[in-house]
Amino acid sequence: MKNRNKAMVNFSRLVLVLCLIIAVGCNEDAWDEHYEELDSRLETNVLSILSEDSDYSTFVKYIEQTGYSSQLAMSQSYTIWAPNNTAFEQVPSDILNNHDLLKELIGNHISLFAYNSSSNSETLVKMFNNKYVEFINTNGSSSFGGVDVVNKDLLASNGIVHTINQVLEVNPNIWGYLNEYESQFPILMDFLNQFNETGFDESNSVQTGTNTLGQAVYDSIFSTQNTYFKIIGDLSSEEERFSFIGLTDEAYASAYDNLDDYYNSPYIDTVKNNVDKVIFRNLNFPQVDSSELNGTIITTTGSEVMLDPNSIIENVALSNGNIFLVDELIYDPMGVIYKPIRYEIEDTKNRTVGSSRDFSIQKRYSAFASGQFTNEVSLLENPTANNSNNYFEVNFSDVLAASYELNLKFSTVDAPQSTKLKFELRYIGSNYVPVTEEIGPIVVNNLEDGVIKIGDSFDFPFYSSGEPDDYFSVKLKVIVDVSEPELILYGRRFGIDYAELVPTE
């Protein structure tokens, strides 16, 4: 039985070999033609291959006209997505007759390195004009920037040629789009344009010699840069991917009305400057698709915001990301401005001490502390009659006109007794009269290691920047309330990590 099976296997193999021999014999001429054609291509550069086909004559003419022909004759590796002659009939004449625009258009179809369609992939390809175009290959189909590739993987000595039947328009980046359609975004562009600065561009200038002092002399090129991009991200960069909220004046008005009460102040400039800072710092974020906005939080340059997908009029695809055009923008204040305000007690800025001779604050390292430092506070002498030496005071920064709770985070201290503290919270009331909220006294255990809420919630009617000259400042005074007779019950040493104003819902 085994010998019979073995004979059948050998017979099958013999039949297969005979079939292959017959097939090769029958198609020998075809295979020879195929390999001869392939060999000739591999000895010819990409530009020559295009030049040999009259269907690409218009494209070749523009390659030569824009100066790319000498580069494509070099021995580097290139990929060309070549539009046929018919495709150029749809290109506006004002582009074809403008050398700079034409060069950018032709450069939009040529890249360094070889990109074939052999595997499923989605690749962002950097083109000669420094734009990035997506080359997608899926299940045998290919597209380039959304245009179908109709003929693929024509090999040459220095690269690959693909054929497309449509000229791929040059897509502007976000900054280019905003400038092109500036009239749609008057307030937004007025704000951003104030940060434009024009200066000498050394990297793109050509040195023509030296002067009598030996200094370089340039055929100078000046370029404009926007300094605000250092804060929100470079909207003109082709190397990064952003999503940007295209803020119409209507959307700006809705965002402003939603936030301005939190910056309530008799100084109009204070309100506008702060609200504008919040709005314009929260328009840019790492690229997301509109389908990802269904109730999800996105992280912008400054905060976490919720963008309602129903407010998006249009999603504009651009070379370095996309713009969401909106007609309404309602930020949740809890996400962008109404947040806990923490003061680390070891921070000496905006902190004062009643008497540095009688009162001591020593910071010490603790891996468990919020800022990896906690503080040991000691009253070294008896309180004065007017309590002028037994306190420290902190001035909170950027307190909104809103409601907060006051929390203090205490830490353990090497002391034999608990201490007794009282507090004063000082701010300006709605009638512009100073308000002092007195809280306590409370007893704090020397082993306390946690957050203690101090008093009730507090409503601050005005925005406070926290600057020393700000009339509306919000200050907390922490007072050691242990008199001489009470030393038998309490000590004058305690540990504290931070003081924090926490928004109430």
Side-chain angles (χ1 to χ4, degrees), residues 17 20 81 106 109 113 115 133 178 241 266 316-317 352 374 420 438 461 465 475 484 491 505:
V17 170
L20 288 173
W81 287 266
I106 300 304
H109 297 76
F113 310 120
Y115 296 94
V133 178
L178 291 174
R241 293 288 168 278
V316 183
T352 57
T374 186
K420 187 157 62 86
E438 296 184 354
S465 67
K475 298 183 178 182
E484 188 72 19
E505 293 291 344

Coordinates of all heavy atoms in Angstrom, one line a residue, residues 17 20 81 106 109 113 115 133 178 241 266 316-317 352 374 420 438 461 465 475 484 491 505:
V17 N 5.9 18.8 -13.5 CA 7.2 19.3 -14.2 C 7.0 19.4 -15.6 O 7.4 20.4 -16.3 CB 8.3 18.3 -13.8 CG1 9.5 18.6 -14.7 CG2 8.7 18.4 -12.4
L20 N 5.0 22.5 -16.4 CA 5.8 23.8 -16.4 C 6.7 23.9 -17.6 O 6.9 25.0 -18.1 CB 6.7 23.7 -15.1 CG 5.9 23.9 -13.8 CD1 6.8 23.7 -12.6 CD2 5.3 25.3 -13.7
W81 N 4.3 60.7 -9.3 CA 2.9 60.4 -9.6 C 2.6 61.3 -10.8 O 2.4 62.5 -10.6 CB 2.0 60.7 -8.4 CG 2.2 59.7 -7.3 CD1 1.4 58.6 -7.1 CD2 3.2 59.7 -6.2 NE1 1.9 57.9 -6.0 CE2 2.9 58.5 -5.4 CE3 4.2 60.5 -5.9 CZ2 3.7 58.2 -4.3 CZ3 5.0 60.2 -4.8 CH2 4.8 59.0 -4.0
I106 N 4.0 71.3 -9.7 CA 4.7 70.1 -10.2 C 5.5 69.4 -9.1 O 5.5 68.2 -9.0 CB 5.7 70.6 -11.3 CG1 4.9 71.2 -12.5 CG2 6.5 69.4 -11.8 CD1 3.9 70.4 -13.1
H109 N 4.0 66.5 -7.1 CA 3.8 65.1 -7.7 C 5.1 64.4 -7.7 O 5.2 63.2 -8.2 CB 3.4 65.3 -9.1 CG 2.0 65.9 -9.3 ND1 1.8 67.2 -9.1 CD2 0.8 65.3 -9.5 CE1 0.5 67.5 -9.3 NE2 -0.1 66.3 -9.5
F113 N 12.9 59.2 -2.6 CA 12.8 57.8 -2.2 C 11.7 57.1 -3.0 O 10.9 57.7 -3.7 CB 12.4 57.7 -0.7 CG 13.3 58.5 0.2 CD1 12.9 59.5 1.0 CD2 14.7 58.2 0.2 CE1 13.7 60.3 1.8 CE2 15.6 59.0 1.0 CZ 15.1 60.0 1.8
Y115 N 8.5 54.7 -3.4 CA 7.3 54.2 -2.8 C 6.5 53.4 -3.8 O 5.9 53.9 -4.7 CB 6.4 55.4 -2.4 CG 7.1 56.3 -1.3 CD1 7.8 57.4 -1.7 CD2 7.0 56.0 0.0 CE1 8.4 58.3 -0.8 CE2 7.6 56.8 1.0 CZ 8.3 57.9 0.6 OH 8.9 58.8 1.5
V133 N 1.7 64.4 1.3 CA 0.5 63.8 0.6 C 0.4 62.4 1.0 O 1.4 61.7 1.1 CB 0.6 64.0 -0.9 CG1 -0.6 63.3 -1.6 CG2 0.8 65.4 -1.3
L178 N -6.1 80.2 6.6 CA -6.6 81.3 7.4 C -6.3 82.6 6.7 O -7.1 83.6 6.7 CB -6.0 81.3 8.8 CG -6.5 80.1 9.7 CD1 -5.7 80.1 11.0 CD2 -8.0 80.2 9.9
R241 N 1.1 68.0 12.6 CA -0.3 67.8 12.2 C -1.3 68.3 13.3 O -1.2 67.9 14.5 CB -0.6 66.3 12.0 CG 0.1 65.7 10.8 CD -0.6 66.2 9.5 NE 0.2 65.8 8.3 CZ 1.2 66.6 7.9 NH1 1.6 67.6 8.6 NH2 1.8 66.2 6.8
P266 N -13.7 96.0 37.0 CA -14.1 97.3 36.5 C -13.2 97.8 35.4 O -13.5 98.7 34.7 CB -14.0 98.2 37.7 CG -13.1 97.5 38.6 CD -13.3 96.0 38.4
V316 N -12.4 71.1 7.0 CA -11.6 71.4 5.8 C -10.3 70.6 5.9 O -9.5 70.9 6.9 CB -11.4 72.9 5.7 CG1 -10.6 73.2 4.4 CG2 -12.7 73.7 5.7
A317 N -10.0 69.7 5.0 CA -8.7 69.0 5.0 C -7.6 69.9 4.4 O -7.8 70.5 3.3 CB -8.9 67.7 4.2
T352 N 4.3 86.1 52.4 CA 4.9 87.0 53.4 C 4.9 86.3 54.7 O 4.0 85.5 55.0 CB 4.2 88.3 53.4 OG1 2.8 88.1 53.7 CG2 4.4 89.1 52.1
T374 N 7.5 69.4 51.4 CA 6.5 69.8 52.4 C 7.2 70.8 53.3 O 8.4 71.1 53.1 CB 5.9 68.7 53.1 OG1 4.8 69.1 54.0 CG2 6.9 68.0 54.0
K420 N -2.8 74.7 67.3 CA -4.1 75.4 67.1 C -3.8 76.6 66.1 O -2.9 77.4 66.4 CB -4.6 75.9 68.5 CG -6.0 76.5 68.4 CD -6.7 76.4 69.8 CE -5.9 77.2 70.8 NZ -6.4 78.6 70.8
E438 N -13.0 85.5 58.9 CA -12.2 84.9 60.0 C -12.7 83.5 60.2 O -13.9 83.2 60.3 CB -12.3 85.7 61.2 CG -11.7 87.1 61.1 CD -11.8 87.9 62.4 OE1 -12.4 87.4 63.4 OE2 -11.3 89.0 62.5
P461 N -16.3 88.2 44.0 CA -17.0 88.9 42.9 C -16.1 89.4 41.8 O -16.7 89.8 40.7 CB -17.7 90.0 43.7 CG -16.8 90.2 44.9 CD -16.2 88.9 45.2
S465 N -5.6 88.8 39.6 CA -4.5 88.2 38.9 C -3.4 87.7 39.9 O -2.6 86.9 39.5 CB -3.8 89.3 38.0 OG -3.3 90.3 38.9
K475 N -6.1 86.8 49.5 CA -5.0 86.4 50.3 C -5.5 85.6 51.5 O -6.5 85.8 52.1 CB -4.3 87.7 50.9 CG -3.6 88.5 49.8 CD -2.9 89.7 50.4 CE -2.2 90.5 49.3 NZ -1.4 91.7 49.8
E484 N 0.8 81.9 75.5 CA 1.7 81.3 76.5 C 1.1 80.3 77.4 O 1.6 79.2 77.6 CB 2.4 82.5 77.3 CG 3.5 82.1 78.2 CD 4.8 81.7 77.4 OE1 4.9 82.1 76.2 OE2 5.6 81.0 78.0
G491 N 1.3 72.8 70.8 CA 2.6 73.2 70.4 C 2.5 74.3 69.3 O 1.4 74.6 68.9
E505 N -19.0 73.2 42.3 CA -19.8 72.9 41.1 C -20.9 74.0 40.9 O -21.6 74.3 41.9 CB -20.5 71.5 41.2 CG -19.4 70.4 41.1 CD -18.8 70.3 39.7 OE1 -19.4 70.8 38.8 OE2 -17.8 69.6 39.6

